[in-house]
Each structure stands twice: as C-alpha cells, then as structure tokens.
Amino acid sequence: MAETTLPPEAIHALAEGRHGDPFAALGPHDTPAGRVVRTMLPGATAVSAVAENGTLHPLTPLHATGLFEGPVPAGNYRLHIDWGGVVQEAEDIYAFGPLLGELDIHLLKEGTHQDIARCLGAHPMEVEGVPGVRFAVWAPNAKRVSVVGDFNSWDGRRNPMRLRQECGVWEIFIPRLGVGAVYKFELLDPNGSILPLKADPVAWQAEPAPATGSIVADTAAIRAAPREIPPGDPATRPMAVYEVHAGSWMRGEGNAPLSWEELGDKLIPYVREMGFTHVEFLPVMAHPFGGSWGYQPLGQFAPQGDFGPPEHFARLVERFHEAGIGVILDWVPAHFPTDTHGLARFDGTALYEHADPREGFHQDWNTLIYNLGRREVRNFMIGSALHWLEHYGVDALRVDAVASMLYRDYSRKHGEWVPNIHGGRENLENISFLQELSNVVAERCPGRLLIAEESTAFPGVTRKASEGGLGFDFKWNMGWMHDTLHYMERDPIYRQYQHGSMTFGMVYAYSERFMLPLSHDEVVHGKGSLIGKMPGDEWQKFANLRAYLAFMWTHPGKKLLFMGGEIAQVREWNHDRSLDWHLLDDPRHAGLQRLLRDLNRLYATLPALHALDCDPAGFRWVVMDDAVNSVLAFLRLGPEGSAPALVVCNLTPVNRTAYRLGVPLDGAWREVFNSDAAIYGGANGGNGGRVQAQAIASHDFEASLALELPGLSTLVLTPEG
C-alpha cells in the first residue's frame, strides 16, 4: 500500500464504513507532499484522476476494500473508474462543498424552517454547473449516515454524508443522479451498529407498497396552482363534503386501483354532478399497510405510490379546482407506525417519538406518538402541513385523532401516563403545536382551512389561537353523529323514548363551528352500512335513510358523507373492493342518489340552509317536544332579505294529517323538498307542492300551516314570492 498522511484509524474507519466525517478524509486535500485526492469505491479495480487537460493521474490503493489515493494537479478533475472491465468517468462527490446555506442551518436549528420540504429530502439541482441530486436528512445522534441505492450498489461505504453539526442534518450531492432513482439512508446508531435501511422522512415520492424505498422526484415541477378562495367567512358558505378512499371508490380491470389520472376522469364529473362542494380524501400520504386506510402514514411529504407519481396527484388537485371543487386531505400528526424502515428510532434513538412509552406508545393502534414538544419534530410536522397546502394547493387539512393529542391520559389507565408540568392531564406541548399550526397556516395560506376530528368537550377547538383556542376553522360534531344514528337505529315505535337524541345537538350547536359527519368510521369494523342500520322492511329502511339524510342536510352545520352512503351501499365498506355501483340499477338505490343530489343543490341555493350555519340567529325551533308523534319542526333563517325555510321531520311510519305548524309569514308556502317523493322511491305523500298559510295563531306565530306529513319523511317549505 502507498504512503499516506491519512491516519491508520481513519483508513480503517472508511474501510469499515464507520467514519463520521468523510469529507475530512475523502476528496481533494492539500498535504505536505502536495495536493492529493482520496476516494472510497468498493469493487473498483483501478481509479485515476482526470485533469482538465485530459491527462490521467493513477491513484494508488490504500486499502483492499477500495480506498484509493493519489496526486492530482490544481483545478477541476474527474474520476476515471475501472469496475473490472466496465469504465465510468464521474465527478468526485467529495469535491463539492457544503450545500445548505447558513439561513437554512439557522432555521433548522431553531425549528422554524417553514419550507422544510425544499430544504431536506432529495432535490435534483445543478451545483457548479453539474446536474445531480442533493440529499439532506436530520439524524443528529447517528455516527454515520450514507445515502444508498442502485447507483452505489446499496453500499453504505460509498456515499457517507457530511454532518452539519449545528443542526444535526447530514447532506451530500451526488452528481449525474436523476429523477426516478430509488434510495434509502443507511445509518450507524450511537453505538456504531448499522440500523435497518431507512426511507427518507421528507421524500417527495415513495415506492408503491409493499416496497419501502424513496424515489427522487422532480420537486421543482410539483406545484399545483391553488384555487382562488372566495373572500369572507367560510362558515357563511355551503360546504358539502364527499369523503373518499382513493383505492376503493371505484376499481379498474382485475380489481386494480385506478391511477390518479383515471380517478380524476371518473370522480371529478361524479362529484360535480352530485353537487358536492368538496372532496375529502382519506390520507393519501405514503403508508406501508393498506389496511390502515392511510391513517398510519410514514411518508408525510409523499403521496401513496400505488396511484402514480406525485405530479399526477398535483394535477388531480388542479383538475378538481378547475371543476369548482375544493380538495381536503386527511392528515395525521398524532402518531406513526413502528415499521423499521420508517421513523421509529430513526437514528438509533427516540428521535421523532417520545422515549418513555407512557408518552410515546399509542396503545389503541400500536403506534408511536410524535414528540411535538421537540422543536425539530414540530417543525417537521408543520412543514408537512404547509407542503400539502402550498405545493399541492389543497384547500384544507382535516386533522385526525385530535382528541388523542389533547390529553396525556387518552385511553390510558391510572399509572400509565405522565402528568404535565402542572400535574394535569392536558398535553400542553400538543396544544401549543396545534395553536402554532393554525397561526402559521393563517399567515402563509390565507383562506385554507383546518378541520378537527375531535370527539371530546375540549373547549375552544374552533376559537382563534390568539384568544386561547386551538385555531381550527371547523370541528367534526361526533356527538351529533352518534346521538342521531342511535335514534335512527331504533324501531320507530320506541323512538319517542329517545327523542332527545335528535334535539340535544342544538343545545351546544354554537359552542363550536361544526361539521356534521357520517364518516367512514360508521361503516367499518362490523358496524355495517348506513342503510343496514335502518330498521323495518326494505321500503322502511330506504324511507328512514332518506328522511335522516334530509334532516342532516337541513340541520345547522357543514356536511360530510362517506362514499357509498349516497347510493345506499348495502355491505360494509371494504378498502380492497370497489363500491357496488351496480346497485344503481335498482330504482330504490338510484332514488336515494337522486335525493342526495337534490339536497346538495337545495342546500347550496337556499341561503337559509347554509349562510348562518354557525350563528344562533339562523335557527328557531317550531316543534321540538312532540316525542309521542316523533315529529320535529324548525326554521332555518338566512341573512336579512332572504327567505326562511321550514323543515319538518316525521320519523314514524304513520302519516300525520293536518299537522299544524306556526310560520313567520302568511301567504302560500312552497314544498321545495319532500323525501317521500316518488322520484326518490317514496310513496308520494305530502302537500302537492304548495300549501296556503292560515290566519290561525300557532307556536308564537300569527299564521300557520296545516300540513300532511308522510310517514318517515322530511319536508322543506319556503314562502312563495
């Protein structure tokens, strides 16, 4: 072996893949004997440095594993590598200087880098006129980090990275690498042991499951144009959301999932025809197990690879916007799966998760809990939220499992949780994170929404963070969903004893800004389907569901319905199968679909049904206490100058004749909706489309209507003129 100024321990560390500062040993270096270059190329039989004038300067082996050294003249050079008969000429990776700027380093260290997706991960770029890919990953406790892939035979000795010690980020530029390259990171833990290969936490593209590699994406090309958001309070606008699982809304030939492009071709016209204002996708972030439906993601910056490249998903969002439809993504900052290629003990320590299992392990889902009290993890998750809102242009994030984030004792017994610094159960770090998230989104993405899936009575979920709230724009009303479904599941003969389940929601309806959900959670895990929950014979099942959906669409609060509910899907949802679209050959199912379409149009066109959804001035009970007849009646009121809407629900199979209800205006009232109409599959009972108010005082009004109420129906009437 040749003489060298490189210490023996450094040679052995490079040969064994243990050197934590490769740039100190590899690449060009000035020595007492002159300028030399060192390179670590396991498998190479000979290496030379090629000077700018084309002359070759052979390098000498320093170690049998592939470590070479030799003199090189001043100026630029390339490496001429003989791989046992196959010759390659390439730039020396270790001739390039640090890549992340001082501002990036400072912001990463402080945990305030709001464009972390552009800073970390893999990014094609030119450095000193040379095309390639810059890689950067946070792993402060690792002894060594290398990027590996087919381009270096997955050999962690070939491309160890430079540590920027100030912020714990490792970086490297690999020349001539391009879009589409599959890669992972190989790390040595603090004890020097090699960890299982890790996917890139900030990868923009991931391999389709079950493969677990990250893919170099054309990050500069992934930026969907955001939709122009109307000015004003979103609470005053109609919002009817169609919740979709991308892999099972509709399947292709051989039960294959549709690509993003194919899904757009079919889903966009359907959502527009049905009159929904938004589509909400169950998490599209890369996840290893399809059975989690995306709620156990590992790729918080990459769309699931099964449906196509990320630029196709960006285009799908744009296509929805071009059709006038908003896009909401479910987003999961509460927990992540334990898969070894993911975030779990990423650098050999509890980096993203809490070290103490009483704080860091989620017993319900066997997952790990993000340590959002750590500034870098907090920065990572806020960066993920901004990534979807800014680079993909989505209109809102629905934040999953907020309740589990708010309480340290969530789903834990006494002694299984750690109190906060004040001895209480509130998770102060997570509360602070959510408040920061809402402030950052409001500042950087005005008009974009945050929606909370929160099932407790935690106060101020939709109050501004500056006023002590969490800062969400809307909260799912889980209590309303459970109460009303509990009522509708009962045989009508017993509903009089559960009458309060339908009225209780109005007791707290304005304590938050609510969205009424009938979500995927109600049609899984043995819960059956919406139509399957309804009592009675087949006719009554459909009548019950029609009346219930109409009650929901006229009740204060924005609306969300999981796919399949609008066609009365009979079987329980299966994430591996398409919805049963053939059911629409049955007039009963087609009638329910038409009812939903008409409800969406009625909801959007009548200001009384949406403009004051979150304002108590928009609602007045007419009849709330007729438990014996299971009748509910209320007025929805809109802005000044708009017509009121009278909603009447008869939730037994008994037709009610001349049922008198007070109304605020005399004259004729038009029956603008009737869930018992024949076009929906009903018996066509009702009021013939029009009824005249009489000067008979009732319910504190001077005028009243005598109405025919078909059994198991919901009616909507508005004054003529």
Side-chain angles (χ1 to χ4, degrees):
M1 299 297 176
E3 292 187 7
T4 178
T5 59
L6 196 62
E9 58 270 21
I11 293 175
H12 289 297
L14 288 168
E16 296 169 4
R18 294 184 291 102
H19 203 298
D21 189 8
F23 282 83
L26 301 177
H29 291 273
D30 291 322
T31 73
R35 189 174 187 240
V36 300
V37 63
R38 304 186 194 102
T39 184
M40 182 66 182
L41 296 167
T45 57
V47 182
S48 297
V50 185
E52 288 182 291
N53 62 7
T55 59
L56 293 178
H57 299 262
L59 307 186
T60 303
L62 291 183
H63 194 281
T65 55
L67 179 61
F68 295 83
E69 178 186 290
V72 64
N76 294 327
Y77 66 92
R78 290 165 62 84
L79 296 177
H80 183 275
I81 310 164
D82 186 341
W83 298 101
V86 177
V87 175
Q88 175 191 10
E89 193 168 297
E91 288 81 11
D92 183 0
I93 292 170
Y94 295 92
F96 293 91
L99 302 172
L100 293 175
E102 291 305 314
L103 179 59
D104 285 327
I105 295 296
H106 172 74
L107 294 175
L108 288 169
K109 178 182 177 181
E110 295 297 316
T112 56
H113 202 305
Q114 294 184 353
D115 204 1
I116 194 173
R118 288 287 185 200
C119 180
L120 302 183
H123 295 276
M125 61 178 58
E126 279 194 8
V127 177
E128 299 175 10
V130 178
V133 177
R134 185 201 71 194
F135 297 89
V137 62
W138 178 58
N141 304 302
K143 288 288 189 182
R144 186 264 293 165
V145 180
S146 299
V147 60
V148 295
D150 288 337
F151 48 87
N152 61 15
S153 302
W154 298 89
D155 190 334
R157 298 170 298 174
R158 288 271 297 276
N159 298 139
M161 304 169 77
R162 170 189 279 117
L163 173 62
R164 307 299 298 272
Q165 294 188 7
E166 310 96 308
C167 61
V169 170
W170 301 74
E171 64 169 12
I172 198 168
F173 176 71
I174 300 185
R176 310 296 170 180
L177 198 63
V179 170
V182 177
Y183 70 98
K184 286 187 178 182
F185 294 114
E186 181 182 278
L187 299 90
L188 297 189
D189 71 13
N191 297 317
S193 300
I194 296 180
L195 296 168
L197 294 182
K198 295 287 189 176
D200 184 354
V202 191
W204 286 43
Q205 185 172 354
E207 285 190 293
T212 57
S214 302
I215 300 175
V216 176
D218 186 1
T219 54
I222 302 171
R223 195 171 187 100
R227 186 169 69 134
E228 191 69 30
I229 302 294
D233 187 349
T236 64
R237 296 192 291 269
M239 194 171 184
V241 181
Y242 189 53
E243 189 187 28
V244 171
H245 178 256
S248 61
W249 179 75
M250 184 178 289
R251 290 264 180 159
E253 189 173 344
N255 199 40
L258 301 179
S259 68
W260 294 126
E261 294 172 311
E262 293 168 332
L263 185 64
D265 291 342
K266 297 180 181 297
L267 180 59
I268 292 171
Y270 180 78
V271 173
R272 183 171 53 189
E273 171 62 22
M274 288 297 297
F276 288 100
T277 63
H278 293 73
V279 64
E280 178 175 326
F281 286 107
L282 274 61
V284 302
M285 299 79 190
H287 50 279
F289 175 50
S292 76
W293 316 324
Y295 289 102
Q296 294 192 13
L298 282 177
Q300 288 284 18
F301 295 78
Q304 183 73 350
D306 303 59
F307 311 114
E311 55 266 30
H312 288 185
F313 179 70
R315 177 58 188 146
L316 175 67
V317 174
E318 284 190 329
R319 292 175 64 189
F320 271 110
H321 289 166
E322 289 165 2
I325 300 164
V327 178
I328 304 170
L329 298 186
D330 281 7
W331 181 66
V332 188
H335 62 119
F336 59 91
T338 60
D339 299 62
T340 56
H341 72 278
L343 302 178
R345 298 191 67 82
F346 187 79
D347 63 0
T349 68
L351 191 63
Y352 287 89
E353 69 271 34
H354 293 272
D356 188 333
R358 293 175 299 169
E359 296 183 279
F361 186 75
H362 208 303
Q363 299 175 122
D364 287 354
W365 302 310
N366 293 322
T367 52
L368 298 172
I369 299 170
Y370 287 105
N371 180 2
L372 294 171
R374 183 168 190 167
R375 62 180 183 271
E376 297 95 340
V377 178
R378 195 183 187 105
N379 194 188
F380 172 78
M381 291 310 301
I382 289 177
S384 169
L386 292 174
H387 179 66
W388 299 103
L389 293 168
E390 294 184 338
H391 294 130
Y392 287 95
V394 303
D395 301 86
L397 297 176
R398 175 272 203 181
V399 182
D400 182 63
V402 171
S404 75
M405 300 176 68
L406 297 178
Y407 298 103
R408 287 174 164 266
D409 63 345
Y410 181 88
S411 198
R412 293 181 187 272
K413 299 176 183 176
H414 179 71
E416 295 180 346
W417 57 283
V418 180
N420 63 33
I421 59 173
H422 304 299
R425 58 193 288 259
E426 294 79 11
N427 193 316
L428 303 179
E429 295 82 5
N430 286 359
I431 291 169
S432 173
F433 163 78
L434 293 171
Q435 291 173 326
E436 182 182 351
L437 172 69
S438 67
N439 285 334
V440 170
V441 169
E443 179 183 349
R444 287 192 52 142
C445 310
R448 270 56 191 177
L449 306 180
L450 293 174
I451 303 165
E453 187 219 15
E454 203 284 309
S455 56
T456 74
F458 188 91
V461 172
T462 57
R463 190 185 310 139
K464 292 180 180 179
S466 61
E467 300 172 358
L470 296 183
F472 285 93
D473 295 281
F474 295 102
K475 168 182 170 173
W476 274 20
N477 194 336
M478 313 289 279
W480 177 91
M481 177 179 71
H482 292 141
D483 286 347
T484 57
L485 279 176
H486 175 76
Y487 177 93
M488 293 303 300
E489 289 172 352
R490 295 293 178 267
D491 187 301
I493 197 171
Y494 301 117
R495 284 179 177 168
Q496 60 180 307
Y497 307 112
Q498 304 289 332
H499 193 73
S501 295
M502 296 295 274
T503 62
F504 181 65
M506 290 310 304
V507 173
Y508 61 89
Y510 304 107
S511 61
E512 302 277 6
R513 292 152 63 105
F514 282 119
M515 177 174 285
L516 310 181
L518 288 176
S519 74
H520 64 278
D521 281 328
E522 301 312 306
V523 292
V524 292
H525 300 320
K527 295 180 183 178
S529 61
L530 287 182
I531 191 69
K533 299 178 193 298
M534 300 296 116
D537 58 25
E538 283 301 297
W539 191 93
Q540 289 184 348
K541 284 180 180 292
F542 278 88
N544 270 301
L545 186 53
R546 290 194 302 266
Y548 178 51
L549 290 173
F551 168 73
M552 173 180 174
W553 250 250
T554 54
H555 191 283
K558 307 309 178 186
K559 326 299 177 189
L560 178 139
L561 181 68
F562 183 57
M563 64 182 199
E566 82 282 10
I567 64 170
Q569 172 93 9
V570 176
R571 63 172 175 83
E572 186 172 277
W573 171 56
N574 181 339
H575 67 275
D576 285 327
R577 285 180 55 185
S578 169
L579 295 180
D580 294 332
W581 294 105
H582 64 273
L583 292 173
L584 293 175
D585 294 335
D586 184 326
R588 296 172 300 177
H589 293 270
L592 186 77
Q593 184 192 48
R594 181 169 182 171
L595 173 131
L596 229 298
R597 185 174 65 240
D598 288 353
L599 279 173
N600 274 333
R601 283 166 170 71
L602 186 70
Y603 169 65
T605 55
L606 277 184
L609 293 183
H610 65 257
L612 300 181
D613 261 336
C614 301
D615 186 333
F619 181 90
R620 175 173 174 173
W621 281 114
V622 178
V623 172
M624 66 171 293
D625 56 358
D626 189 0
V628 172
N629 292 314
S630 298
V631 170
L632 299 165
F634 52 87
L635 285 166
R636 293 299 309 277
L637 307 167
E640 187 175 351
S642 63
L646 174 67
V647 180
V648 192
C649 304
N650 176 17
L651 297 175
T652 69
V654 179
N655 296 329
R656 308 290 174 191
T657 301
Y659 194 97
R660 187 163 296 279
L661 291 168
V663 289
L665 296 171
D666 58 11
W669 285 65
R670 192 161 55 95
E671 192 175 70
V672 295
F673 177 85
N674 181 347
S675 71
D676 191 51
I679 56 173
Y680 305 139
N684 225 25
N687 300 277
R690 187 174 183 274
V691 62
Q692 187 71 32
Q694 299 171 312
I696 300 175
S698 184
H699 302 102
D700 296 326
F701 293 109
E702 294 183 1
S704 59
L705 303 174
L707 296 176
E708 304 297 309
L709 307 183
L712 300 175
S713 72
T714 295
L715 311 178
V716 181
L717 298 97
T718 60
E720 281 191 353

